[in-house]
Amino acid sequence: MAAKKGQSQSSQSKKRERKEAASGSTQVKGKRDDASRSSSLIGVPALVSMAVASAALCLFVFLPHIVYAIKYAPSPGTCGDGVCHFLESAHSCPSDCADDVCGDGFCSFTEVCAGAGAKAKGRKVCVQDCGRCLQADNATSLAAPIDKEMPYLEKKRWGTYRARHYFGIKDRSPSPLSFGVGWGHNEEQLRFTCGDGVTKYGWQKHNGYDFGLHTAKDDDNGLHLHKYFVGVSENEWVARIEQKRRKKAHTSKWTSLYFYFSMEGGNYFDLDDVKVLLHPPHGGSMKNVSIGHEGVEVAEFSGYRILPESDFNKGAKGGENTRHIPFKAVLRLQKSADDLSVTPLIQRKPTYFSTYVHDPDHFYNVRGLVRDVTSRSRSQGHAVGTLGNVKKPEPGRSNMVILEVRVSTGGFQMDLQFADGDILPSWQPLSPSKIGELITKREGEFDQKLRDRLLHRHQHHTSEDMNEEEGREGSDRAIMEKTASFALSNHLGSMVYTHGSITYEPDSESPVFKAEPGRRGQPHLKETDTLPLFSGVPSRSFFPRGFLWDEGFHLLLTCRWDTSLCVDSLSHWMRWVTPSGWIPREMFLGKESRLGVEQKWWTQYEAHANPPSIVLPIDYLLTRLEATVNKRQDESSSSSDKGTSGKGEGERKGRGNGWSETSTMHQSLSADDERVVREFLSWSFPRLLRWFNYLRRTQSSPHKFTFKWRGRSFNDGLWHTLASGLDDYPRGTDPSRFDDELHVDLTSWIYLFSNVLKRVAQVVDASSSLPSLSSPPSHSAVELEKALKRVEKAVGSSPSVPSVSSSPSDFKVELEKALLENGYGSVEEFERHCSDLGSSIVEYTRAIFFNTGMRTFVDVGVVGDVLEVMRKERVQARRNTPRQDGREVVPPLPASSQWGSWMRLVGWRKADVTQLPHIGYVSLFPFLMNALPPVDPAHTHTQSGEGGSYRREVVEGTLDLLEEGGHLHSPFGVRSLSSSDPFYYAHEQYWRGPIWMNINYLTLKALEREVHDTAGREEGSQDSALHSRLVHAYTDLRSSLVKTVTRQFEYKESLFEQYSDVTGGGRRISPFTGWTSLIALIIGEDL
């Protein structure tokens, strides 16, 4: 018992101990909990604050990206909607993406017709689709020669066709005789070609034919020269050189003028005599020479141009068969009309130098040649700077003669008169007073035509175009008119006439290339036919040659000024369509055009296209022709006359779906101009069709009705798409995936081209039945033949195509022939196919390129690992670009983490084919080219149906980009790339931010079109509100462009290649005679 009791007590004792221990533990734990609870209560505010701050930071950082992800993520489309979107494939959605189905009406990139390409790897025959007009792959059709040549147009033989020279004149001939003027105080300050050191120069007035006024302000030589060109007749012209007195005269009052003649093409002239007629009086000096009211003769050149027979007859082989064309030039000196008190005018007896220059580098470097000759003359004991009256070997045989006259910088006037051909026996030089009267007359005619053709609407504008400052209206209007005159004149005065061939690498995929006998392996370099080209140039100093991409914009101005001159240039360009349909993009014709250009650029690539901007002036001519037809219909009182004259064209009396259809302001054509335009359209249609087929074939993509530029390149960390014309504009950044890209700008160009081609076919079809064209032209064929014979006597065959006008009955024959060669039996069938093509392009442009979140268009491609490259480009760009007006031009690069997370969230994924995150000029192209659903007959953007809402969405999205705060808005014009883009002002800074006039012009044109479409809507309606936004956007953009260009011109007296979107300052090349000259149309509001 005792034992059990003891055990029980012991057990109870242990229980008590355990209980006490547990109680103690609880107390300890309670103390710890109290302490913890006390600590927690103390830290709650801090912890809450930290949590709130963290949440706010995350929200601040990621909310914009989430919003972008929700709002802007590219929509993959819905399988079964009938459109193969860029995120769908044949595997994921066979119902939409079953490409390459023969019979679907589209010749895809894997289909060919039964031709040379039928056995190509990965391609299949589909005659139903690919034997058709717009996508023909038939080698026989493509290679068939186009023998019919452009009808002869009356053109001026002589002109200022030497853009590279300050003042150069030559004739239109394969072996031209050229004339030029140079000057310089000494051997180190010689001026002959643009870029030699003159700060301000350019054509102040030029009518494109027989009159021009060129000025050059040369402070180093103390000269302010006015140089006039006046064409007197087909075989006669005058060059007047006049020195205007400068306020700050040069320390030396003497300078040398150099007048030179040269024969290009390895030909020469036989100088009968070079007479220096100005001599000092007996026993006196040149200071005592008496200069009367009519001046004195200084020198006289006479001789013969020796030309090969092949210049006259295409079949001649040359050799010993030559022709001798006589010529004569007389130089006269008189006092300047500004200051008749200047005396003496001449320092010493004039000297000359004549030679045959074999080396082309020396032949075209007249400045270096003069420097060498004067140095040699000085070593022989002649006066400093003289040419020494040297005649080189081969007596009488020369291709260069230079005359030097040492004159006073105080003021002088010199007239050089030239004549050649059969007028010489009876030719008498004009007196200085007669020349002055002729200059005054031509100058007045130019001013009047400028007001009538370009500035007729500008006359009603107020100072709102420039600023609101009181008292500025008169000066602002004057500077705008001066800017417009300078822009037009520099374009017209810089047009060149060149002759030669282009070296190119054939496209190995071309059916023409594959059809060549014995063709195996890779293509070797080839030469095009030797042809002439009459074209504008972008810049006289940097790019004095024709560019295909630029010329379409140049001709928009030319067509407004003179229809025949415009068609003249267009016909030359159309002759360059090769058998495959390709046109070279840069015209290195002749040795002079290649001077200063690296040899690697001389070779071009047949597979690389260029924007078909030539269709822009053709579209404008079509619009004017349609306006002419409408006017004739309105004026006709007979219904039968209406039915005949309006065949095929009256349907567009209202509104169509063209690019330039805002046309109440477009003037109708004269009878002569209408004839010229219709003949050109008939002649050019087969060439345009061949060119269009080339673009559709070579630039096709795996996706229906979308296209991509071939020739993308990646060199030294820089991506280029030179073929597009927008060289460094950012696109895909993975060089290994360039083939996966789709380009919205090219797709839009194809849409415009198809629409213009359809309208050309309509006009040509209608032209054959117009009775007004059956009557003889104002200049009969007999008169034209006589004119041709006069030209042949003077210089050889006419530089233009020597064939006479086609009869209207030929128009339809040529049209049907071109259509049949491409598988079409009628014009109506061709029109239907063009319309279907346009509608399909509009549909696929929406499905593939339109970002519904941003309501704009973007390219499709692949984004590679570019952040580090972009950072390096931005650092280099910031080093290369100084601050302007205290403002940073190049913004900092966004942090890689922010840019990367944004790309991931919004769906732009690295290594995936997707819509690219670059908003810029390419985003505007469907809007610019009107590649949108057509407006309904009521001209409303709110018509029922999906197409109407989509069009309205595009217009509103475009306005979002252009209005203040938008991606592309700047106070100075539409910038080329969004300022928030990482590539903005990176690396070359070419198409990555600066303002370009050609795209701004197209933007204004498109805004004007939409203003017209929304006009007259009920106040308070959706269209009324949209109309107000469009009017404001148009007015704001036009005012910004006018201010930007005119203010820079007022300060710099020049136009620039591009303008800063940050400061409005001119950038890069100046003077720029190319598409910046469109400012003349913007000032005059003749869009």
Side-chain angles (χ1 to χ4, degrees):
M1 284 288 296
K4 290 182 180 179
K5 185 177 180 178
Q7 290 176 356
S8 175
Q9 291 177 347
S10 175
S11 175
Q12 291 175 0
S13 175
K14 290 179 180 179
K15 288 180 179 180
R16 278 196 304 272
E17 290 177 357
R18 285 196 296 270
K19 187 176 181 179
E20 290 175 356
S23 175
S25 175
T26 301
Q27 291 176 2
V28 172
K29 181 180 180 181
K31 292 178 180 179
R32 290 175 180 171
D33 288 344
D34 290 343
S36 176
R37 191 160 41 248
S38 176
S39 175
S40 177
L41 288 173
I42 294 172
V44 164
L47 292 174
V48 172
S49 298
M50 291 175 62
V52 171
S54 299
L57 180 62
C58 291
L59 190 63
F60 177 77
V61 172
F62 292 105
L63 182 59
H65 306 313
I66 296 172
V67 171
Y68 266 90
I70 296 172
K71 186 176 180 181
Y72 295 155
S75 172
T78 303
C79 187
D81 61 2
V83 178
C84 186
H85 296 261
F86 67 94
L87 292 181
E88 295 177 337
S89 64
H91 176 73
S92 64
C93 185
S95 61
D96 293 346
C97 300
D99 289 334
D100 307 339
V101 176
C102 190
D104 62 1
F106 176 76
C107 187
S108 70
F109 75 110
T110 61
E111 295 176 337
V112 295
C113 73
K119 297 182 180 180
K121 182 179 179 180
R123 309 189 87 184
K124 56 189 178 183
V125 175
C126 181
V127 178
Q128 296 97 310
D129 296 340
C130 300
R132 305 303 296 238
C133 164
L134 294 178
Q135 190 66 7
D137 203 11
N138 188 310
T140 303
S141 173
L142 285 167
I146 303 175
D147 296 324
K148 184 176 173 60
E149 295 180 322
M150 178 59 195
Y152 173 75
L153 297 172
E154 286 189 288
K155 306 179 182 73
K156 296 296 181 182
R157 263 188 60 209
W158 295 94
T160 57
Y161 305 136
R162 308 184 72 199
R164 182 170 167 264
H165 302 257
Y166 288 120
F167 189 74
I169 300 168
K170 75 174 185 180
D171 66 335
R172 295 189 179 196
S173 163
S175 305
L177 173 63
S178 301
F179 166 75
V181 176
W183 64 89
H185 167 61
N186 54 45
E187 297 170 18
E188 303 304 320
Q189 295 176 334
L190 296 175
R191 316 294 193 218
F192 283 90
T193 55
C194 300
D196 279 349
V198 179
T199 54
K200 297 177 181 179
Y201 62 93
W203 290 100
Q204 303 299 323
K205 299 180 181 183
H206 203 295
N207 67 4
Y209 287 105
D210 54 11
F211 171 74
L213 164 60
H214 187 278
T215 62
K217 296 180 181 179
D218 188 352
D219 293 330
D220 291 339
N221 281 303
L223 293 174
H224 184 186
L225 295 175
H226 282 210
K227 292 155 284 183
Y228 295 88
F229 164 72
V230 181
V232 180
S233 68
E234 191 175 40
N235 299 83
E236 182 182 4
W237 53 264
V238 177
R240 168 167 286 185
I241 315 299
E242 186 174 1
Q243 159 68 349
K244 300 291 185 179
R245 297 210 67 178
R246 302 296 305 274
K247 293 181 180 179
K248 296 181 180 179
H250 193 265
T251 53
S252 172
K253 64 175 183 177
W254 300 109
T255 193
S256 292
L257 285 182
Y258 300 93
F259 301 86
Y260 65 95
F261 287 92
S262 61
M263 279 289 291
E264 299 182 39
N267 296 294
Y268 62 96
F269 40 66
D270 188 346
L271 288 175
D272 280 351
D273 202 359
V274 179
K275 297 178 181 178
V276 176
L277 303 174
L278 186 59
H279 299 275
H282 182 70
S285 68
M286 295 301 294
K287 295 181 180 180
N288 300 322
V289 171
S290 175
I291 299 178
H293 178 68
E294 294 294 330
V296 295
E297 288 192 357
V298 175
E300 180 182 293
F301 301 85
S302 60
Y304 292 86
R305 299 171 61 183
I306 313 300
L307 298 175
E309 183 70 25
S310 57
D311 278 7
F312 297 85
N313 302 312
K314 293 182 178 180
K317 299 295 184 181
E320 298 298 325
N321 297 321
T322 59
R323 288 195 182 183
H324 293 59
I325 311 300
F327 72 90
K328 186 175 183 179
V330 177
L331 181 65
R332 179 181 291 271
L333 170 68
Q334 53 265 356
K335 295 182 178 181
S336 171
D338 280 358
D339 192 348
L340 299 176
S341 64
V342 176
T343 184
L345 284 185
I346 192 162
Q347 184 180 22
R348 58 173 178 255
K349 181 181 176 181
T351 57
Y352 69 91
F353 172 80
S354 174
T355 187
Y356 191 94
V357 183
H358 294 274
D359 188 343
D361 292 335
H362 290 165
F363 179 82
Y364 293 110
N365 183 13
V366 183
R367 180 188 185 189
L369 182 62
V370 169
R371 184 181 296 169
D372 292 344
V373 172
T374 54
S375 177
R376 190 185 321 139
S377 176
R378 185 172 61 252
S379 67
Q380 296 174 358
H382 294 282
V384 175
T386 62
L387 294 176
N389 293 340
V390 181
K391 292 189 73 171
K392 296 295 285 184
E394 297 183 83
R397 183 184 175 99
S398 306
N399 63 359
M400 177 76 70
V401 59
I402 308 170
L403 175 75
E404 182 230 16
V405 184
R406 192 77 171 172
V407 292
S408 169
T409 60
F412 59 83
Q413 185 173 283
M414 301 191 75
D415 295 332
L416 187 138
Q417 300 187 61
F418 176 91
D420 69 351
D422 56 1
I423 71 168
L424 279 182
S426 60
W427 178 68
Q428 291 294 327
L430 298 174
S431 66
S433 58
K434 289 292 184 182
I435 295 173
E437 292 173 4
L438 191 56
I439 289 175
T440 301
K441 179 176 180 291
R442 297 280 173 84
E443 193 167 4
E445 292 171 346
F446 171 84
D447 293 339
Q448 186 62 46
K449 186 175 180 179
L450 179 68
R451 289 190 292 269
D452 293 343
R453 293 291 179 91
L454 298 185
L455 301 180
H456 56 284
R457 300 187 69 191
H458 166 70
Q459 305 300 317
H460 306 291
H461 292 160
T462 67
S463 59
E464 292 177 0
D465 287 329
M466 293 290 289
N467 55 49
E468 302 297 334
E469 296 177 19
E470 186 175 354
R472 283 279 296 177
E473 181 175 352
S475 61
D476 288 344
R477 176 169 296 163
I479 191 63
M480 282 191 284
E481 292 179 355
K482 187 176 180 181
T483 303
S485 176
F486 184 87
L488 169 70
S489 300
N490 270 278
H491 162 58
L492 296 176
S494 301
M495 296 185 78
V496 296
Y497 184 87
T498 52
H499 200 271
S501 61
I502 295 293
T503 303
Y504 71 100
E505 181 180 298
D507 179 11
S508 59
E509 296 298 317
S510 167
V512 175
F513 173 80
K514 293 177 180 178
E516 291 183 4
R519 172 62 61 202
R520 290 186 178 87
Q522 293 299 315
H524 60 277
L525 297 184
K526 298 180 66 176
E527 291 284 328
T528 65
D529 292 339
T530 300
L531 294 170
L533 180 69
F534 177 53
S535 172
V537 302
S539 169
R540 297 170 62 192
S541 56
F542 285 83
F543 302 117
R545 52 191 174 273
F547 284 76
L548 177 61
W549 154 235
D550 300 60
E551 188 61 14
F553 295 96
H554 298 167
L555 289 173
L556 285 171
L557 181 57
T558 312
C559 286
R560 264 69 167 188
W561 179 253
D562 189 282
T563 302
S564 293
L565 194 68
C566 172
V567 171
D568 186 0
S569 182
L570 278 171
S571 64
H572 277 84
W573 276 100
M574 285 295 94
R575 291 188 69 191
W576 279 90
V577 178
T578 62
S580 67
W582 174 68
I583 302 179
R585 74 180 188 92
E586 188 170 357
M587 292 301 191
F588 295 106
L589 303 180
K591 295 178 180 179
E592 185 174 15
S593 67
R594 299 181 178 182
L595 296 177
V597 181
E598 293 184 64
Q599 191 169 353
K600 66 178 182 179
W601 297 110
W602 296 359
T603 301
Q604 300 185 49
Y605 300 89
E606 190 180 29
H608 299 176
N610 222 208
S613 64
I614 292 292
V615 300
L616 298 177
I618 294 177
D619 179 271
Y620 171 77
L621 292 176
L622 285 167
T623 302
R624 288 196 59 189
L625 187 59
E626 290 155 2
T628 305
V629 172
N630 292 339
K631 180 180 178 181
R632 186 159 54 238
Q633 289 178 332
D634 292 340
E635 294 175 348
S636 175
S637 59
S638 169
S639 59
S640 60
D641 290 342
K642 289 183 179 180
T644 303
S645 63
K647 179 182 177 183
E649 296 175 316
E651 63 179 9
R652 296 191 66 256
K653 185 175 180 180
R655 289 280 297 174
N657 195 34
W659 171 80
S660 65
E661 298 162 3
T662 53
S663 55
T664 55
M665 70 193 73
H666 288 299
Q667 300 175 355
S668 59
L669 295 166
S670 67
D672 285 347
D673 284 347
E674 181 181 359
R675 179 182 303 280
V676 167
V677 171
R678 288 186 184 276
E679 289 184 351
F680 165 73
L681 293 175
S682 174
W683 171 84
S684 65
F685 179 79
R687 292 164 172 78
L688 288 168
L689 182 55
R690 179 175 289 183
W691 186 19
F692 186 66
N693 288 340
Y694 160 83
L695 291 170
R696 292 284 315 275
R697 183 182 68 255
T698 62
Q699 313 300 303
S700 62
S701 77
H703 284 269
K704 289 183 178 181
F705 306 111
T706 60
F707 303 89
K708 63 181 180 182
W709 296 108
R710 290 178 66 181
R712 292 272 277 123
S713 62
F714 177 73
N715 297 303
D716 300 325
L718 182 63
W719 295 266
H720 269 145
T721 316
L722 297 179
S724 72
L726 310 176
D727 300 1
D728 64 339
Y729 184 91
R731 303 186 191 256
T733 54
D734 187 342
S736 66
R737 303 289 297 278
F738 283 165
D739 287 341
D740 294 325
E741 294 183 2
L742 306 173
H743 299 135
V744 65
D745 53 331
L746 176 56
T747 303
S748 302
W749 279 117
I750 297 294
Y751 172 85
L752 176 63
F753 204 157
S754 68
N755 186 54
V756 169
L757 205 56
K758 177 182 70 173
R759 293 167 62 201
V760 171
Q762 292 172 342
V763 168
V764 175
D765 185 42
S767 296
S768 61
S769 60
L770 291 179
S772 62
L773 292 181
S774 299
S775 58
S778 58
H779 298 282
S780 68
V782 175
E783 291 172 336
L784 293 178
E785 290 295 341
K786 289 180 179 179
L788 284 171
K789 290 179 180 179
R790 290 197 304 270
V791 175
E792 288 183 358
K793 288 181 179 180
V795 69
S797 62
S798 170
S800 56
V801 181
S803 60
V804 294
S805 172
S806 302
S807 65
S809 61
D810 292 338
F811 293 169
K812 194 162 187 173
V813 173
E814 296 298 326
L815 174 65
E816 291 176 348
K817 178 182 177 182
L819 294 178
L820 285 173
E821 285 181 350
N822 289 274
Y824 276 83
S826 68
V827 177
E828 290 73 17
E829 185 181 357
F830 176 76
E831 292 175 14
R832 285 195 301 272
H833 199 100
C834 288
S835 298
D836 292 342
L837 172 66
S839 299
S840 299
I841 289 177
V842 169
E843 180 183 3
Y844 275 77
T845 297
R846 177 184 184 182
I848 292 178
F849 298 113
F850 188 65
N851 185 288
T852 56
M854 293 183 293
R855 296 199 299 181
T856 192
F857 301 91
V858 290
D859 283 336
V860 169
V862 178
V863 177
D865 189 8
V866 300
L867 293 174
E868 188 61 31
V869 174
M870 287 191 295
R871 184 176 292 105
K872 291 179 180 178
E873 287 185 349
R874 186 57 53 86
V875 170
Q876 188 62 37
R878 291 169 70 86
R879 290 175 180 170
N880 294 342
T881 307
R883 296 169 67 90
Q884 297 182 21
D885 298 337
R887 287 174 285 183
E888 184 65 66
V889 175
V890 183
L893 177 72
S896 59
S897 59
Q898 294 177 0
W899 177 246
S901 63
W902 180 75
M903 284 176 57
R904 288 192 297 273
L905 283 168
V906 302
W908 282 294
R909 295 176 291 275
K910 177 182 174 182
D912 285 346
V913 177
T914 183
Q915 289 182 329
L916 298 173
H918 302 297
I919 300 175
Y921 278 168
V922 302
S923 305
L924 301 175
F925 265 84
F927 176 72
L928 304 183
M929 303 300 173
N930 203 16
L932 303 170
V935 296
D936 72 353
H939 293 215
T940 175
H941 281 62
T942 57
Q943 74 263 35
S944 59
E946 191 176 359
S949 60
Y950 165 61
R951 185 182 181 98
R952 183 183 184 88
E953 190 175 13
V954 170
V955 174
E956 290 178 340
T958 302
L959 289 174
D960 290 341
L961 297 180
L962 302 179
E963 292 172 335
E964 188 170 358
H967 282 278
L968 304 184
H969 177 271
S970 85
F972 310 102
V974 180
R975 57 168 56 99
S976 48
L977 186 65
S978 170
S979 57
S980 62
D981 193 289
F983 286 95
Y984 178 65
Y985 272 92
H987 211 287
E988 289 185 342
Q989 310 172 35
Y990 208 42
W991 293 88
R992 297 184 176 187
I995 295 165
W996 292 82
M997 198 56 56
N998 60 333
I999 304 300
N1000 274 266
Y1001 170 86
L1002 294 181
T1003 304
L1004 269 179
K1005 179 68 182 175
L1007 288 172
E1008 183 192 50
R1009 180 193 69 222
E1010 298 302 319
V1011 167
H1012 179 276
D1013 285 341
T1014 56
R1017 302 282 75 85
E1018 183 180 350
E1019 188 173 353
S1021 66
Q1022 283 184 310
D1023 275 349
S1024 176
L1026 182 60
H1027 178 75
S1028 298
R1029 288 185 66 188
L1030 287 164
V1031 170
H1032 183 269
Y1034 172 87
T1035 305
D1036 179 68
L1037 177 57
R1038 179 181 173 276
S1039 177
S1040 297
L1041 294 172
V1042 171
K1043 289 178 184 177
T1044 298
V1045 178
T1046 54
R1047 286 177 175 172
Q1048 283 293 299
F1049 177 77
E1050 188 175 18
Y1051 175 62
K1052 299 284 189 178
E1053 296 184 35
S1054 185
L1055 302 180
F1056 290 82
E1057 182 181 17
Q1058 56 181 214
Y1059 293 84
S1060 169
D1061 60 318
V1062 179
T1063 67
R1067 289 172 50 89
R1068 301 179 77 93
I1069 296 172
S1070 176
F1072 193 76
T1073 57
W1075 51 43
T1076 304
S1077 60
L1078 289 170
I1079 191 63
L1081 298 182
I1082 295 173
I1083 289 173
E1085 283 199 281
D1086 186 4
L1087 306 179

